[in-house]
């Protein structure tokens, strides 16, 4: 029987390594607009996002948004939107990506409480679904098509 990796490679999927944090979250290394970052892989997050404090680092252009964010016990959080970003996940390039920008301090405070490294943002279902993502929990690998 062929391995999952071989089968998915034949179908055009790229394998992106994942790292498990002390909080049992998968983290993926990716670049936004050419700047490297650490992002939590969150299949339950509707949108991929970046923290307010990372906008300058990732050289993002933002504009007002009427959308309110919710998650991880917080609701009604103010957001900005950032359009036409370039994402690099491993060797996998995605152009013209829209990202939500909001306060991720509560996420990073929780990670720090467990002595885990901070993250720059969250890789959410919007990008995962469009790229037909498959998570291999045994091999700590994200497959994107």
């Amino acid at each position: 029987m062929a391995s999952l990796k071989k089968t998915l490679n034949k179908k055009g999927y790229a394998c992106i390594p994942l790292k498990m944090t002390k909080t049992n979250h998968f983290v993926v290394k990716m670049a936004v607009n050419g700047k490297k970052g650490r992002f939590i892989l969150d299949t339950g997050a509707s949108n991929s996002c970046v923290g307010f404090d990372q906008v300058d680092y990732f050289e993002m252009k933002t504009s007002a948004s009427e959308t309110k964010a919710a998650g991880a016990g917080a609701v009604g959080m103010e957001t900005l939107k950032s359009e036409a970003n370039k994402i690099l996940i491993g060797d996998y390039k995605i152009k013209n990506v829209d990202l939500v920008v909001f306060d991720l301090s509560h996420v990073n405070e929780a990670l720090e409480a467990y002595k885990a490294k901070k993250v720059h943002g969250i890789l959410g279902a919007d990008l995962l679904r469009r790229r037909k993502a498959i998570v291999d929990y045994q091999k700590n690998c994200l497959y994107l098509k």
Side-chain angles (χ1 to χ4, degrees):
M1 177 179 227
S3 73
L4 179 62
K5 184 173 185 172
K6 286 181 182 178
T7 300
L8 292 176
N9 282 341
K10 287 179 184 176
K11 294 185 178 201
Y13 280 83
C15 178
I16 313 299
L18 298 171
K19 184 173 182 178
M20 183 68 73
T21 69
K22 294 176 183 179
T23 58
N24 285 327
H25 292 96
F26 274 132
V27 172
V28 61
K29 291 181 181 179
M30 56 189 259
V32 176
N33 301 326
K35 303 289 184 173
K36 294 179 183 178
R38 289 171 38 89
F39 287 72
I40 287 179
L41 174 69
D42 188 347
T43 61
S46 56
N47 293 292
S48 297
C49 56
V50 170
F52 281 133
D53 59 339
Q54 301 302 320
V55 169
D56 290 339
Y57 172 71
F58 287 123
E59 300 175 358
M60 299 169 66
K61 294 177 183 168
T62 61
S63 58
S65 172
E66 294 183 20
T67 303
K68 301 288 185 195
V75 294
M77 295 182 289
E78 297 294 324
T79 65
L80 296 174
K81 60 183 175 180
S82 179
E83 300 174 329
N85 295 284
K86 296 174 188 166
I87 305 290
L88 181 65
I89 308 171
D91 292 331
Y92 196 86
K93 297 176 187 176
I94 310 170
K95 295 181 182 179
N96 207 23
V97 176
D98 295 344
L99 296 168
V100 173
V101 180
F102 78 107
D103 184 4
L104 286 176
S105 62
H106 64 288
V107 172
N108 281 316
E109 286 170 10
L111 290 170
E112 283 184 313
Y114 286 92
K115 297 187 178 9
K117 292 181 184 177
K118 291 182 178 184
V119 295
H120 295 90
I122 296 170
L123 176 58
D126 57 337
L127 291 176
L128 297 171
R129 288 188 70 199
R130 277 190 269 158
R131 304 301 174 203
K132 300 180 181 180
I134 297 171
V135 179
D136 183 343
Y137 288 90
Q138 295 301 311
K139 301 285 185 184
N140 294 347
C141 187
L142 169 66
Y143 292 95
L144 299 176
K145 187 168 187 177

